[in-house]
Amino acid sequence: MSERVYFGKGLLEIELTPLFYKLVEANMNPGEYGLICTTPDQNPALWTALASAIAARGAVPVVVMVPADVWHKRDPPKMIAEAMKHANIIFWSGTPDNITWVYGSARIEASKRGVKSMSNMFCVEAMLQTGKADILEVKKYVKACEKALNEAKRFRLLTKGCELTGTLEGRKSYPLYPIAEPPYNSGTFAGAEAMMAPIEGTAEGTMYVDGAIGGGVGTVSEPVIVTVEKGLFVKAEGGAEARLLNSLILERYRHDKGARYLCEFSIGCHPLARAGPGVSVHEFKNLLGTLHIAFGDNHNFGGGHPDVAGKVSSDLHVDCLTLKPTLELDGKLVIENGKLLIV
């Protein structure tokens, strides 16, 4: 990689650019176009360092900055939607909560054209930590979990006296790691996970949530017990975060028919992901050995790829994370108290 920093000369840009270059080298060829979508609330060191890494690869960076948008499924202005179609890869330098185009029809249309997508570059601290990981090692963890999920018909999640079960048969796992490869052409840099859309209506039981909750709820101060019946959110019990989750799903989105569906089941696979108070759930949930479920939208998994996408369309997608799960797939122990046993 060239020593020159093309778009920023600060210490952060100089420190971040080599980390981003690893990502760019694994996903882009010289002469290709990388579209960077960012928002004003992001540290500019992120997009300047990424743009520098793309340029150092001999490729062309194109940067668009837009206001944060808290709603899912909204599409960008037409001029940016067109740019998405003609990029080789789209880098989402912002959280899924404030760049929601990653969930929209423009992203799905770009995916159909073979455009790759790389998400979760939203925090300088996250990049400095997770960017040091060996990309191939991260991929190894994800692919092992993907294989285990693809071979399973049923899951059984056991944590602190809670038990949640459901059906996986009929769908494939959607793997996310720092290389966007066929057939889904999607990846993530600050995290890694093997996710799946369980068969709608099959999940039953309770889940112990002691990590973090999405949708603006944040880190859990005391455990939350989530009850699911026939694949639908029923209630959350616990402290302040439980009340916020109930309010989010049962009140704010009460007219959204998809918001209550358990839409995702995912294993965290990144050995260097950060955890704890103040860490975004979008990074927290990728920590190796953790597990999270989500309620709401899953119709656009894999850019809408039929092998992995679910049937639920919703304006909500809220993650619920447990830190030290025990997971069985068809009776086989895959995770025990937060330790991954299959790698």
Side-chain angles (χ1 to χ4, degrees), residues 160-178:
K160 300 285 187 178
C162 293
E163 179 176 344
L164 183 69
T165 62
T167 299
L168 303 174
E169 186 178 20
R171 293 217 176 104
K172 291 186 177 181
S173 173
Y174 175 32
L176 288 172
Y177 49 93

Side-chain angles (χ1 to χ4, degrees), residues 289-306:
T290 63
L291 190 144
H292 66 275
I293 61 172
F295 295 95
D297 189 89
N298 65 8
H299 84 286
N300 53 9
F301 283 7
H305 195 288

Side-chain angles (χ1 to χ4, degrees), residues 34-38 47 50-51 54 61-65 89-91 93:
L35 179 64
I36 303 171
C37 295
T38 188
W47 68 261
L50 178 56
I54 293 172
V62 178
V63 182
V64 296
M65 182 176 291
I89 184 169
I90 304 167
F91 295 95
S93 182

Side-chain angles (χ1 to χ4, degrees), residues 231-250:
L232 297 174
F233 177 93
V234 174
K235 62 182 177 180
E237 298 172 282
E241 291 78 28
R243 292 190 292 272
L244 287 171
L245 184 59
N246 283 325
S247 176
L248 183 67
I249 296 178
L250 301 179

Side-chain angles (χ1 to χ4, degrees), residues 41 70 80 99 101 104 106 114 119 125 180 212 214 220 228 239 274-275 304-305 307:
D41 61 320
V70 299
I80 300 177
I99 296 188
W101 307 341
S119 63
E125 292 78 12
V220 172
V228 179
R274 299 180 307 146
H305 195 288
D307 287 348

